[in-house]
């Protein structure tokens, strides 16, 4: 069952959902999962991918687990809005009596909700937000997605070992971007590389032109970039090509957010050749990924392509189902988190493990290149770093 709300306004309510609110199901019948996601505004694709991944998992595995019905109550944070996220989380806990908090496309929202999870002793499953420090902000947080240091360190190492010695970095100026910049500089230097200069751009509505011209004038061998997935990344790729950096022999490398699967077709041939490191590509070859993509298409339509956020929603639901299997409706926060510490599951991206010490994900990170496959564009994997932990905590 899925109930969606934006703020305090009910956006969509089924008859069954209305009955649930007027006469809540007994705790031993229903497990309520409060989902905080960006469902409107420029980051709406984040919320759509996460929640569709969650619904796809439920469609394939059923809405009941251990005899308990799983109900999603979705609320719209509207974007990077910490105060809104915190208020909605408090409402979910106090009014809706959710037993799990989940979602979280953006770091500011996850950080704002962490104290709510701690005070309420409710498990909180991070399905995308990637700043390293998030899991340290509450003992009730577990993350199934990734961290920026985890996907940045491999591209820094790969670049240095593949004759790229001088790099200019450009990142978005918020938690994940700062993580990416500091990690790239540290690992690249440790492997003999030199960062010739760095720039940070605003999270909202950055104008890339002046920054890209400055990069071109510095004549690096490559640009390392991190921006949030979506429109910002598309704008950067287009500006990179328009300013002729590729014709000047400057390579483009980055984290997989930049060429995420959902926007590759919007980038088109301009993205060809971009090399990134990340934990998921829709082109990944495995039976688990085939099953995931089919379930996703059953929910979103045959032309919809899932990205890494959808995988976060899928795997997050897997973890929640495992909590319920082990604890039933007695989802005590401490016991729920303890139940998944050290757990290994088969994901569409490959095997992942929840580190027992940090409650963060350990996973393979793939080196990929944007290529044309048939008449479509994909991140095609050609190398990998196995069982990578978050270097921000190691």
């Amino acid at each position: 069952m899925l109930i969606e709300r934006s703020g305090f306004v009910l956006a969509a309510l089924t008859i069954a959902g209305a009955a649930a609110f007027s006469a809540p199901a007994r705790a031993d019948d229903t497990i309520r999962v409060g989902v905080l996601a960006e469902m409107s505004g420029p980051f709406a694709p984040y919320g759509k991918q996460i929640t569709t991944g969650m619904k796809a998992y439920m469609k394939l595995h059923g809405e009941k687990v251990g005899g308990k019905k799983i109900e999603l109550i979705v609320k719209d944070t509207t974007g990077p809005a910490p105060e809104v996220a915190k208020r909605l989380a408090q409402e979910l806990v106090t009014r809706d009596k959710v037993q799990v908090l989940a979602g979280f496309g953006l770091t500011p929202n996850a950080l704002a909700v962490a104290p709510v999870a701690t005070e309420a002793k409710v498990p909180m499953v991070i399905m995308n937000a990637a700043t390293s420090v998030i899991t340290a902000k509450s003992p009730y947080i577990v993350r199934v997605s990734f961290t920026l240091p985890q996907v940045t360190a491999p591209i820094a190492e790969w670049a240095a070992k593949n004759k790229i010695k001088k790099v200019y970095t450009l990142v978005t100026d918020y938690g994940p971007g700062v993580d990416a910049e500091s990690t790239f500089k540290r690992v690249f230097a440790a492997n003999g590389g030199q960062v010739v200069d760095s720039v940070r751009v605003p999270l909202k509505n950055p104008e890339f032109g002046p920054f890209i011209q400055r990069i071109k004038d510095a004549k690096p061998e490559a640009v390392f970039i991190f921006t949030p997935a979506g429109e910002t990344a598309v704008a950067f790729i287009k500006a990179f090509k328009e300013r002729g950096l590729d014709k000047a022999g400057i390579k483009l490398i980055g984290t997989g957010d930049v060429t995420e699967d959902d926007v590759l077709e919007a980038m088109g041939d301009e993205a060809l050749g971009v090399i990134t490191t990340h934990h998921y590509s829709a082109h990944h070859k495995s039976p688990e990924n085939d099953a995931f993509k089919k379930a996703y298409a059953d929910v979103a339509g045959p032309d919809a392509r899932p990205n890494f956020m959808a995988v976060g929603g899928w795997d997050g639901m897997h973890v929640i189902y495992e909590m319920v299997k082990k604890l039933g409706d007695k989802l005590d926060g401490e016991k729920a988190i303890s139940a998944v510490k050290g757990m290994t599951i088969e994901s569409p991206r490959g095997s992942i493990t929840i580190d027992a010490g940090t409650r963060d994900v350990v996973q393979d990170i793939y080196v990929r290149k944007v290529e044309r496959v048939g008449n479509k564009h994909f991140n095609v994997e050609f190398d990998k770093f196995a069982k990578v932990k978050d270097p921000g905590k190691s």
Side-chain angles (χ1 to χ4, degrees):
M1 180 185 296
L2 176 67
I3 299 173
E4 294 194 13
R5 301 185 193 189
S6 176
F8 289 104
V9 180
L10 197 59
L13 184 61
T14 64
I15 295 174
F21 274 94
S22 60
R26 294 181 304 159
D28 60 351
D29 292 331
T30 303
I31 301 294
R32 292 189 177 88
V33 179
V35 183
L36 289 156
E38 299 75 24
M39 303 302 295
S40 62
F43 292 97
Y46 287 36
K48 180 180 179 181
Q49 286 277 347
I50 291 170
T51 56
T52 305
M54 297 173 77
K55 289 185 279 186
Y57 186 89
M58 294 174 69
K59 182 176 181 62
L60 184 64
H61 295 90
E63 292 187 358
K64 285 190 174 182
V65 56
K68 315 299 177 186
K69 186 173 181 63
I70 306 298
E71 177 185 295
L72 304 183
I73 302 176
V74 179
K75 293 197 176 184
D76 179 13
T77 63
T78 71
E83 292 182 3
V84 174
K86 185 174 183 179
R87 170 172 59 80
L88 296 177
Q90 290 169 332
E91 177 185 336
L92 283 165
V93 169
T94 59
R95 191 182 79 179
D96 297 310
K97 307 298 182 186
V98 299
Q99 290 131 297
V100 183
L101 291 168
F104 306 102
L106 296 169
T107 286
N109 298 339
L111 292 176
V113 174
V116 178
T118 301
E119 183 178 357
K121 298 182 178 180
V122 171
M124 178 174 164
V125 182
I126 304 295
M127 297 176 172
N128 186 64
T131 302
S132 180
V133 75
I134 289 173
T135 55
K137 294 301 182 180
S138 172
Y140 296 93
I141 291 177
V142 61
R143 175 159 40 198
V144 299
S145 51
F146 69 109
T147 75
L148 255 300
Q150 186 180 47
V151 297
T152 300
I155 192 64
E157 183 177 337
W158 181 89
K161 291 181 177 179
N162 283 271
K163 300 180 180 181
I164 297 174
K165 297 301 181 183
K166 293 185 178 181
V167 172
Y168 201 117
T169 69
L170 181 148
V171 302
T172 300
D173 192 10
Y174 77 129
V178 174
D179 271 0
E181 179 188 85
S182 61
T183 300
F184 186 90
K185 285 182 174 180
R186 175 175 54 79
V187 176
F188 193 54
N191 283 274
Q194 176 190 359
V195 172
V196 297
D197 208 345
S198 300
V199 65
R200 298 177 182 177
V201 300
L203 177 59
K204 295 182 178 181
N205 305 314
E207 172 51 56
F208 286 118
F211 300 115
I212 290 180
Q213 187 60 49
R214 191 188 311 171
I215 293 170
K216 186 177 182 181
D217 292 343
K219 299 179 179 178
E221 295 172 16
V223 180
F224 166 78
I225 177 179
F226 163 76
T227 69
E231 294 177 1
T232 304
V234 174
F236 179 86
I237 294 287
K238 290 186 179 298
F240 185 90
K241 293 286 185 176
E242 287 171 359
R243 297 273 175 160
L245 273 71
D246 58 326
K247 292 182 174 62
I250 300 171
K251 297 179 176 66
L252 183 57
I253 60 176
T255 62
D257 312 73
V258 180
T259 60
E260 61 95 355
D261 294 285
D262 195 32
V263 299
L264 267 182
E265 294 310 320
M267 294 178 177
D269 286 350
E270 292 178 337
L272 289 173
V274 177
I275 293 176
T276 59
T277 47
H278 223 230
H279 58 293
Y280 176 73
S281 165
H283 193 260
H284 181 70
K285 302 299 185 183
S286 74
E288 291 82 9
N289 194 36
D290 290 343
F292 162 66
K293 290 190 291 184
K294 182 180 184 304
Y296 189 91
D298 287 345
V299 173
D303 296 327
R305 184 189 294 186
N307 67 10
F308 63 91
M309 299 178 205
V311 173
W314 174 279
D315 288 335
M317 287 308 299
H318 191 160
V319 166
I320 291 168
Y321 272 43
E322 291 300 320
M323 289 178 178
V324 177
K325 285 179 184 177
K326 293 185 177 185
L327 301 175
D329 63 300
K330 308 295 184 184
L331 279 187
D332 171 85
E334 292 182 12
K335 290 181 180 178
I337 295 299
S338 294
V340 299
K341 285 183 178 180
M343 176 183 293
T344 296
I345 63 174
E346 291 302 318
S347 163
R349 66 189 109 166
S351 294
I352 66 172
T353 299
I354 304 301
D355 185 272
T358 65
R359 290 165 280 110
D360 239 323
V361 63
V362 180
Q363 60 190 328
D364 294 342
I365 302 299
Y366 303 92
V367 189
R368 313 99 49 81
K369 183 178 182 180
V370 177
E371 298 180 5
R372 182 184 287 276
V373 180
N375 62 350
K376 296 184 181 297
H377 300 82
F378 286 96
N379 293 293
V380 178
E381 300 163 356
F382 64 89
D383 201 356
K384 76 174 181 180
F385 292 73
K387 294 182 171 58
V388 179
K389 293 186 176 183
D390 173 24
K393 299 186 180 70
S394 59

